[in-house]
Amino acid sequence: MAGKYLTFKLAEEEYGLEILKVQEIIRMQVVTRVPKTPQYVRGVINLRGKVIPVVNLRSKFKMEHLEDTEKTCIIVVQIKNSDTTIVMGIIIDEVKEVLDIDAKNIEETPTFDSSINTEFIMGMGKVGGDVKILLDIDKVLSAGEISKIADSIKE
Amino acid sequence: MSILSDISKKINRFASLITIIDKTDLSGFGEIQSGMDEIITSEALPGAFHELARRTSALISNILLEETPFESGLSKVCESIEKMQKELGKRAEITKENISNEQSGLKQQPVINKEDKDLLIKFASQQQSNLEDFEAYILEYEKGNTQADNAIRRILHTWKGEFGVLDLQQYSSLIHQLEDRFTSKSIDVDKLLKFKDLLSRKFEYLAKGIIADIDGQEYDWFLSDTSTDRTDTEQKKENVTEEHNGRPLNIEHLDTSLLKDFITEAKEHICSAEENLLELEKEASGIDNINTVFRAWHTIKGVAGFLELKDINQLAHLMESVIDDFRKGNDVLGNELIDALLEGNDCIKNLVSCIENLLDKKPYKTPQNYDAIINRLNSLLKNTEADKDKLGGILIEDGGASKENVRNALNLQKDGDKRKIGEILVQEEKIEKNAVKKALEKQNVAREGTEIEESIRVPVSKIDSLVDTIGEVVIAQSMINASSEISKIKDQVLHNRIARSNLMMRQIQETAMSLRMVSVKTTFQKMARLARDLSRKSNKEIEFCTEGENTELDKTVVEKIGDPLIHMIRNSLDHGIETRDERIANGKGIKAKLKLSAYHRAGSIFIELCDDGRGLDKNKILKKAIDNKLCSSDENLSDDEIHKLIFMPGFSTATEVTDISGRGVGMDVVKRNIEALRGTIEINTEYLVGTTFTIRLPLTLAVVDGMVITCQSETYVIPTLTIIETIRPDKKAMKSIIGEAEVIDVRGELIPIIYLALALGHEKICRDDDFVVMVVEDLVGRKAGLIIDSILGQQQVVVKNLGAGMGEIPGVTGGAIMNDGSVSLIIDIGGIIRNAFNQ
């Protein structure tokens, strides 16, 4: 798990994303709403001629809604779904930095009571006195989920 | 232990059965399934085996019930059977009972190294077009086209060679025997077609680098007309494998990089020579082709000489001389000559592969037939035969004209006689008029499909990315054009330049789009095969012909049109075309006609399937539809509307479900597939005379003509094709029914209203007075009045999918990137109407 992580802020928490998953960071832009998708799917954007879905991470984690600010931006990530790679954008509050985290500084996900889903947390990274929540983005956005919900609406 | 060997025999039989199962013939599954059930109950086998058998049996049921797609299901069944074979093989070894002794032809493949594997993958993955050609030639051959005869032999021969090089002896030996049988005409067309199917399945494995064995059963099946006992096959095999040990070749003094360059280059030349030779075979006069072939061999000869590769040098030199002879016009290029040259070309190919092997430190072997080829070419030198493709040649061959007569006639022509060669011969009473006619027909057959355009294989992803980028450039450009600064420019010259660059840009875009276009030929070929098989099965003689095979369509469209066509042809054969007796009673010819054609008109592509069967029976359809509660008896339907009922899900007039069709899913699938391609389908039928289905498809899926509209301050695109009219109604025209549903009165026709905003998931709708009603129609002809806010304009947009992971959104076809760079959703009218009316 050791390696480079891109860290970002969401609400008052700091998260880390494996750098290899990150394709690019773009600033906030007009997002076209797509009907009949789950709440956390903000819509689609035009990424240099390709249309990609964009997910609001705050609402995915059921956090309070926040109006977009100057610092709000979209991290374009590549998600593995079985054997295909899917490009998606996630909207986050603010991008922080790229950090190198050693294996010895990564702790296992603490166990909470069963009501909290920790499945998509790979571990906790300790950097300086801070704790970064290291996300398994493949699981956060298990790509089937969006289309599954879309399908169920269609039925 | 005899139980084990019994079972293993059985499983081997299944393995061979499975290769002959296809979509239209599922009968083999029954046997396999009952076999699996036997295995489940057999106590001689371990539990894991039972489980595997149980799963396989369940899988087969699923395939038969159409719950599992045929292809993927079949490959899974194959896998399971293979697994069983392996497992049994292991068991047999442990118990010292060598199964392979009992099974003929089952031979272990040597473990291959990586380079060989790469070679294998490369070879196998490029065989698709050869397979298609092979199939097409077989069908031609069945019709009695003698040209196809040679082509088949050549393809078989090439395969044999290639498999030999790849050290897949099972294959090369099987093909070798097939070749023999084909030459002696002791193999029927069905077997050849099945062989193609087998190969195509095997190639799929091979293309993944998996060595797929041809087992003894398969082997025997193809050669089953004679008793093939093991020793016989084995000996034959040895004959093939046992290549004579050629002259030793020393390459140690050579720079390997030079050799490698030579190999790559030589391969290209060989390919181009082969291609041009094939063209020459069809049209003997192509001087360009001759020159290309000459140049190719000349280069090979030169480099081979320099590298001291004597075998290649000698052969290339000889072949060069032969073709040079011809080039100088000493005689006409006959089939025999071309065959010899092709064989020589193959031989060079083999030699080159041998050198490639040599680089991998494998022994170098001169191909077995090397000397024979050299001798043959030598004998051909300055002794070429009359051309069979030329009318004269054909006349000599079977028209009864003598060589001398033809030569004299040709000389007359040279001296300025304007008459055609046939005319001369007939007028001089050398031959019969009918003979000329026949020969001309034969010549036409031989000349068909002569044009082969040069092409490059490019991965689709590259083209897609090019199309994407160009789309972006176009958008960027229109953003510039739309900027207010541009309109302020007074300079006329600059304006002209901008306009010109816009024009060029559009041209580039069009060209880029055309890159994705492929001809429908392959699909049509598949249909020809299907029609043939079905006609056999249903005992209805048909004459299947195709037209406009070279019509081009977007690649994705071509891929998706296959399924609907299969259903339509099945339906045509099962319901449309009458039985033999019925046809005679109706005074029609015994052979029914089924024509599949494609053509281009008014910016759309049309695909037509036309039969001269019994046509649709309006009353029967109506009655059935009422019985199935698809419509009520008091509806007053027009003929056209009645005919369209056959597209309703669950509709079938067949009184019984046959294995060809009758479940009532077919035409529904057809309609849905075509709808998904944004096309339409029409029926034109006359009772007892015949039916024509016309599919109209957009030229490309990538671009759609759309009306840009707003709804709840969001922009959407509605395909223009679906829009009938737009109205700004006054309040009185809108009427509500039961307080909820609303209809609009359009010149007396009541059309149901759909609020687009609601359909697209907006919760509230505030309808101001200034709204627009757009009357739209889906493919089935259902109309609706769509309430929208305003219309912004009309525009061509590029259709993009909403990104993987988004899945299918009901009511939305995809996204379009607008002039300002934002994304607008393209509305799927069919989906919107379906959703609204079903709720």
Side-chain angles (χ1 to χ4, degrees):
Chain A
M1 269 198 291
K4 282 193 176 1
Y5 285 83
L6 173 75
T7 61
F8 59 86
K9 245 177 89 174
L10 202 62
E12 290 310 308
E13 297 158 4
E14 272 197 43
Y15 288 85
L17 256 182
E18 284 169 287
I19 200 84
L20 290 173
K21 297 275 180 200
V22 178
Q23 183 181 312
E24 61 192 293
I25 303 166
I26 50 177
R27 78 195 141 77
M28 197 57 208
Q29 46 181 284
V30 186
V31 181
T32 306
R33 196 189 60 92
V34 178
K36 313 204 170 173
T37 44
Q39 175 93 57
Y40 60 83
V41 177
R42 179 87 159 251
V44 288
I45 57 163
N46 164 20
L47 181 74
R48 291 188 305 280
K50 270 217 164 60
V51 178
I52 63 163
V54 176
V55 162
N56 203 341
L57 211 53
R58 260 179 181 267
S59 91
K60 170 80 198 177
F61 290 161
K62 302 200 173 63
M63 295 169 174
E64 201 186 324
H65 178 73
L66 184 78
E67 286 302 315
D68 294 340
T69 67
E70 284 268 283
K71 285 175 177 164
T72 308
C73 59
I74 301 172
I75 302 179
V76 181
V77 289
Q78 294 172 343
I79 297 167
K80 281 237 165 58
N81 180 31
S82 53
D83 46 352
T84 54
T85 309
I86 294 170
V87 180
M88 264 192 199
I90 53 173
I91 299 176
I92 46 97
D93 289 358
E94 187 184 346
V95 169
K96 299 299 267 191
E97 60 196 325
V98 176
L99 283 177
D100 222 338
I101 306 181
D102 284 345
K104 65 173 194 287
N105 286 329
I106 297 177
E107 273 187 29
E108 273 192 35
T109 317
T111 38
F112 302 102
D113 75 274
S114 57
S115 68
I116 298 170
N117 186 4
T118 56
E119 195 195 7
F120 45 75
I121 300 175
M122 290 199 299
M124 315 294 281
K126 290 182 295 182
V127 180
D130 286 343
V131 174
K132 323 267 179 200
I133 305 156
L134 306 182
L135 285 180
D136 184 346
I137 196 71
D138 292 346
K139 289 213 175 102
V140 177
L141 302 170
S142 62
E145 205 178 329
I146 301 175
S147 45
K148 221 186 290 160
I149 291 173
D151 282 347
S152 71
I153 291 169
K154 194 168 61 179
E155 294 288 298
Chain B
M1 276 310 117
S2 65
I3 305 173
L4 261 191
S5 69
D6 249 352
I7 288 176
S8 87
K9 256 187 201 159
K10 221 172 242 160
I11 290 179
N12 282 329
R13 154 131 185 87
F14 297 157
S16 63
L17 254 181
I18 204 130
T19 57
I20 54 172
I21 288 177
D22 68 34
K23 235 181 179 162
T24 55
D25 181 1
L26 301 170
S27 54
F29 274 139
E31 189 179 337
I32 298 180
Q33 197 172 21
S34 59
M36 288 297 154
D37 292 339
E38 235 170 81
I39 290 172
I40 296 172
T41 51
S42 161
E43 280 169 9
L45 294 162
F49 227 92
H50 294 167
E51 181 55 36
L52 197 57
R54 198 170 301 133
R55 268 206 306 241
T56 314
S57 165
L59 189 63
I60 292 174
S61 310
N62 281 347
I63 298 173
L64 291 175
L65 293 173
E66 291 186 359
E67 274 167 29
T68 306
F70 177 78
E71 266 89 4
S72 64
L74 186 66
S75 74
K76 269 186 205 149
V77 175
C78 277
E79 266 169 42
S80 309
I81 290 179
E82 257 169 40
K83 225 186 242 174
M84 289 184 184
Q85 274 179 315
K86 258 186 217 153
E87 203 58 43
L88 275 175
K90 266 191 228 157
R91 262 165 199 282
E93 259 174 45
I94 294 165
T95 52
K96 302 270 185 266
E97 193 189 56
N98 204 341
I99 290 170
S100 66
N101 273 342
E102 290 175 25
Q103 303 294 324
S104 62
L106 249 184
K107 204 178 149 196
Q108 280 297 310
Q109 283 295 325
V111 184
I112 49 165
N113 63 18
K114 193 179 169 302
E115 284 77 19
D116 279 1
K117 199 171 163 183
D118 288 348
L119 212 64
L120 175 69
I121 292 173
K122 206 165 169 196
F123 161 66
S125 58
Q126 285 169 0
Q127 290 311 306
Q128 194 51 40
S129 63
N130 275 348
L131 281 169
E132 280 159 12
D133 289 350
F134 185 56
E135 186 170 39
Y137 283 132
I138 296 171
L139 294 177
E140 278 294 301
Y141 168 70
E142 196 181 21
K143 286 185 200 158
N145 183 347
T146 45
Q147 297 293 316
D149 194 31
N150 287 328
I152 292 172
R153 220 171 302 159
R154 201 159 45 242
I155 293 178
L156 281 173
H157 192 76
T158 319
W159 274 334
K160 182 176 80 175
E162 300 258 21
F163 279 122
V165 170
L166 290 163
D167 223 22
L168 291 168
Q169 298 307 343
Q170 291 179 330
Y171 286 87
S172 56
S173 114
L174 176 59
I175 296 173
H176 179 78
Q177 297 187 43
L178 280 179
E179 230 181 327
D180 284 353
R181 247 150 250 237
F182 184 72
T183 317
S184 62
K185 308 259 182 236
S186 58
I187 188 160
D188 62 359
V189 171
D190 282 312
K191 229 163 225 186
L192 283 174
L193 286 172
K194 290 286 183 205
F195 174 68
K196 182 247 153 188
D197 295 344
L198 170 81
L199 262 191
S200 121
R201 234 179 326 256
K202 297 285 181 192
F203 275 137
E204 257 171 53
Y205 282 105
L206 296 176
K208 289 177 199 147
I210 304 162
I211 304 275
D213 288 355
I214 298 183
D215 67 45
Q217 307 278 340
E218 284 168 351
Y219 213 99
D220 291 349
W221 191 81
F222 283 109
L223 309 171
S224 57
D225 48 28
T226 56
S227 61
T228 28
D229 60 314
R230 179 173 157 74
T231 45
D232 191 29
T233 350
E234 204 57 5
Q235 255 170 13
K236 279 241 174 190
K237 221 181 264 179
E238 259 158 31
N239 283 341
V240 182
T241 19
E242 190 69 24
E243 289 178 345
H244 73 156
N245 296 318
R247 293 154 278 268
L249 184 77
N250 188 8
I251 52 159
E252 267 156 32
H253 61 286
L254 288 171
D255 183 353
T256 44
S257 74
L258 266 181
L259 264 181
K260 274 183 190 152
D261 283 350
F262 166 68
I263 291 168
T264 353
E265 218 174 273
K267 276 185 180 165
E268 272 171 34
H269 285 308
I270 292 165
C271 278
S272 95
E274 185 174 83
E275 203 173 285
N276 282 290
L277 274 175
L278 291 177
E279 248 175 84
L280 275 173
E281 181 169 41
K282 290 176 187 153
E283 189 86 47
S285 54
I287 190 76
D288 282 346
N289 301 115
I290 298 168
N291 283 337
T292 317
V293 175
F294 181 78
R295 268 198 304 274
W297 287 335
H298 187 72
T299 319
I300 294 176
K301 177 187 94 170
V303 183
F306 165 68
L307 292 170
E308 292 180 32
L309 303 167
K310 285 207 188 82
D311 287 346
I312 298 182
N313 177 267
Q314 189 192 358
L315 183 56
H317 174 73
L318 198 55
M319 288 169 58
E320 184 196 34
S321 316
V322 172
I323 200 141
D324 195 38
D325 246 17
F326 169 67
R327 186 162 71 154
K328 286 182 190 137
N330 280 2
D331 220 325
V332 258
L333 194 58
N335 269 7
E336 193 191 333
L337 181 59
I338 289 195
D339 278 350
L341 288 175
L342 278 170
E343 214 173 307
N345 202 42
D346 286 346
C347 187
I348 297 189
K349 203 189 282 175
N350 283 342
L351 283 165
V352 171
S353 313
C354 288
I355 292 168
E356 217 172 356
N357 285 341
L358 195 58
L359 285 175
D360 297 335
K361 306 268 178 279
K362 282 209 216 133
Y364 174 87
K365 278 188 245 162
T366 316
Q368 189 181 14
N369 54 359
Y370 182 81
D371 292 332
I373 290 174
I374 294 275
N375 286 336
R376 191 166 166 199
L377 285 170
N378 263 327
S379 73
L380 278 169
L381 206 53
K382 292 190 183 145
N383 183 22
T384 41
E385 233 198 38
D387 180 19
K388 286 176 191 155
D389 280 356
K390 287 239 169 123
L391 193 58
I394 298 171
L395 283 171
I396 293 170
E397 207 184 39
D398 35 45
S402 71
K403 259 188 191 178
E404 214 170 297
N405 289 337
V406 172
R407 195 152 299 172
N408 286 341
L410 282 171
N411 284 339
L412 274 176
Q413 269 187 329
K414 263 185 206 153
D415 295 342
D417 196 324
K418 288 271 159 54
R419 287 178 299 172
K420 294 198 171 135
I421 182 159
E423 270 175 80
I424 300 176
L425 288 169
V426 173
Q427 277 167 21
E428 293 186 359
E429 289 176 6
K430 297 280 194 273
I431 49 164
E432 297 268 320
K433 212 169 180 179
N434 267 349
V436 178
K437 210 170 148 195
K438 266 191 199 151
L440 271 172
E441 269 167 24
K442 197 167 173 188
Q443 189 185 25
N444 281 337
V445 175
R447 280 190 178 165
E448 250 169 46
T450 38
E451 281 167 43
I452 298 175
E453 245 187 299
E454 250 188 89
S455 58
I456 316 173
R457 290 171 66 102
V458 183
V460 180
S461 61
K462 267 193 187 175
I463 291 179
D464 283 347
S465 111
L466 177 72
V467 173
D468 277 350
T469 322
I470 291 174
E472 277 297 282
V473 176
V474 171
I475 290 163
Q477 189 135 18
S478 60
M479 278 161 84
I480 295 173
N481 291 337
S483 90
S484 54
E485 293 297 314
I486 293 276
S487 52
K488 279 185 208 148
I489 298 171
K490 293 262 153 53
D491 189 348
Q492 194 52 46
V493 179
L494 184 58
H495 270 295
N496 285 347
R497 283 183 186 153
I498 292 174
R500 193 174 153 67
S501 81
N502 284 345
L503 191 75
M504 310 280 272
M505 208 55 242
R506 250 200 306 279
Q507 273 174 6
I508 295 179
Q509 194 181 18
E510 264 164 37
T511 317
M513 292 297 181
S514 75
L515 291 181
R516 289 183 51 91
M517 308 290 267
V518 292
S519 83
V520 291
K521 199 170 178 179
T522 351
T523 313
F524 274 25
Q525 249 167 39
K526 268 186 216 146
M527 298 308 143
R529 166 82 187 272
L530 176 82
R532 175 193 175 277
D533 288 359
L534 287 180
S535 89
R536 288 276 168 99
K537 196 166 283 177
S538 59
N539 249 331
K540 292 173 180 174
E541 270 186 70
I542 58 158
E543 188 189 326
F544 185 83
C545 58
T546 55
E547 223 178 68
E549 294 180 318
N550 292 326
T551 313
E552 287 189 330
L553 265 171
D554 193 276
K555 193 173 181 310
T556 37
V557 183
V558 171
E559 278 162 9
K560 285 184 188 152
I561 197 70
D563 266 3
L565 282 180
I566 289 175
H567 282 296
M568 284 162 64
I569 288 177
R570 281 180 177 202
N571 266 308
S572 225
L573 263 154
D574 209 25
H575 308 308
I577 290 168
E578 311 93 325
T579 56
R580 200 188 149 99
D581 300 343
E582 209 177 318
R583 282 188 78 85
I584 295 171
N586 286 341
K588 291 179 180 176
I590 295 168
K591 261 196 174 176
K593 285 200 180 90
L594 192 59
K595 191 169 103 184
L596 184 62
S597 47
Y599 54 91
H600 200 149
R601 191 167 297 156
S604 299
I605 296 285
F606 290 81
I607 294 179
E608 237 175 50
L609 181 70
C610 175
D611 68 48
D612 66 345
R614 58 170 79 96
L616 293 177
D617 185 346
K618 175 173 104 178
N619 299 325
K620 202 168 155 195
I621 294 172
L622 195 59
K623 186 175 172 300
K624 198 85 185 177
I626 293 167
D627 285 353
N628 289 354
K629 300 207 168 56
L630 295 170
C631 71
S632 61
S633 52
D634 48 359
E635 272 177 87
N636 201 0
L637 296 171
S638 70
D639 284 5
D640 205 33
E641 279 168 320
I642 295 172
H643 293 150
K644 277 189 177 166
L645 285 172
I646 65 165
F647 292 119
M648 299 287 274
F651 183 86
S652 171
T653 51
T655 34
E656 59 182 311
V657 176
T658 68
D659 60 345
I660 302 180
S661 63
R663 287 201 181 83
V665 249
M667 291 317 267
D668 176 41
V669 170
V670 170
K671 196 199 76 193
R672 270 171 191 272
N673 278 349
I674 289 167
E675 211 171 314
L677 293 168
R678 298 206 310 276
T680 57
I681 180 162
E682 262 170 44
I683 314 167
N684 214 320
T685 179
E686 198 172 325
Y687 188 49
L688 295 179
V689 177
T691 313
T692 304
F693 289 93
T694 310
I695 301 173
R696 179 189 178 143
L697 293 165
L699 250 185
T700 159
L701 270 191
V703 179
V704 62
D705 251 320
M707 202 69 100
V708 185
I709 59 128
T710 61
C711 178
Q712 299 290 299
S713 71
E714 279 171 11
T715 315
Y716 295 97
V717 178
I718 295 181
T720 318
L721 208 70
T722 60
I723 302 172
I724 300 173
E725 62 180 316
T726 322
I727 28 184
R728 236 176 239 285
D730 57 74
K731 282 261 162 65
K732 271 186 253 159
M734 311 271 294
K735 297 183 177 86
S736 75
I737 297 173
I738 334 173
E740 278 190 29
E742 273 183 293
V743 291
I744 181 169
D745 184 352
V746 182
R747 293 180 295 277
E749 190 181 357
L750 294 180
I751 294 170
I753 289 288
I754 297 173
Y755 285 87
L756 184 62
L758 271 185
L760 292 176
H762 286 275
E763 275 164 18
K764 286 179 291 184
I765 23 159
C766 37
R767 197 175 87 198
D768 47 23
D769 293 338
D770 202 24
F771 66 95
V772 179
V773 175
M774 193 172 258
V775 182
V776 291
E777 184 185 35
D778 72 357
L779 283 176
V780 214
R782 286 193 290 196
K783 287 182 186 168
L786 220 52
I787 299 218
I788 55 172
D789 291 349
S790 65
I791 293 175
L792 296 182
Q794 199 172 2
Q795 195 183 337
Q796 269 204 339
V797 293
V798 179
V799 184
K800 312 246 169 178
N801 70 15
L802 296 181
M806 205 52 152
E808 247 178 76
I809 307 290
V812 177
T813 318
I817 293 168
M818 308 306 284
N819 290 348
D820 61 357
S822 69
V823 182
S824 287
L825 300 183
I826 302 167
I827 304 294
D828 164 26
I829 292 294
I832 294 267
I833 293 183
R834 210 168 28 241
N835 277 355
F837 289 175
N838 286 351
Q839 270 161 20

